[in-house]
Amino acid sequence: MRGLIIDYAGVLEGPAADAESWKLLLSELRMNGIGIAVLTNIDSFDVPADLARWKETGYVDEIVLSSEIGVEKPDFEAFYAACRALGEDHKDCVCVDDSIENIHAAVRAGLIGVLYTAYDRTEAELRPLFNLH
């Protein structure tokens, strides 16, 4: 796997999110050459300042807003656009989202899907997918 596509609301931000742990994991992934994109259905007029900081501080490579690409998750094209933003084939990408509908769509689109319910569980699933020990 060469790319990680991650949702913002409910995963990186929200009551069940663990932002500090995510920052450590995302840094480790990037140090191992993994491209990371946030894919969110947040409207470009409502982008929270915290979202932009994930890219500004170097935790993610790209932020892909559905409102800017013209399609929303769970449309397959939204996932493909995020993969293209990273320069990766969709078959080499993992999608993390807190919506089972989006995970089903990502898997049907050819990505590996990881349903986010808690940070520790998600990290345990991601580490072997990216050969992190």
Side-chain angles (χ1 to χ4, degrees):
M1 296 290 109
R2 304 294 318 142
L4 175 63
I5 310 300
I6 190 166
D7 183 39
Y8 177 70
V11 178
L12 294 179
E13 181 275 336
D18 187 341
E20 293 309 310
S21 295
W22 272 116
K23 289 175 183 177
L24 292 171
L25 179 60
L26 296 178
S27 294
E28 186 176 354
L29 287 165
R30 292 205 59 220
M31 286 188 303
N32 282 279
I34 305 303
I36 302 167
V38 172
L39 173 60
T40 181
N41 287 347
I42 293 173
D43 190 284
S44 58
F45 296 109
D46 296 325
V47 175
D50 288 346
L51 174 55
R53 279 195 280 279
W54 285 91
K55 183 174 179 183
E56 292 166 0
T57 54
Y59 293 108
V60 302
D61 299 294
E62 299 293 338
I63 296 174
V64 180
L65 303 174
S66 294
S67 61
E68 292 182 355
I69 60 172
V71 291
E72 290 188 350
K73 298 179 288 181
D75 189 301
F76 290 6
E77 188 53 40
F79 300 105
Y80 297 149
C83 296
R84 282 193 304 272
L86 294 175
E88 299 294 342
D89 187 89
H90 64 279
K91 294 177 185 173
D92 292 323
C93 290
V94 175
C95 176
V96 175
D97 202 296
D98 63 324
S99 162
I100 192 67
E101 180 182 16
N102 290 341
I103 292 301
H104 284 209
V107 169
R108 286 192 308 273
L111 290 79
I112 291 177
V114 174
L115 178 65
Y116 179 80
T117 57
Y119 174 80
D120 292 342
R121 289 180 181 159
T122 303
E123 179 186 19
E125 290 184 55
L126 291 177
R127 285 191 168 280
L129 289 171
F130 290 105
N131 296 315
L132 298 178
H133 305 291

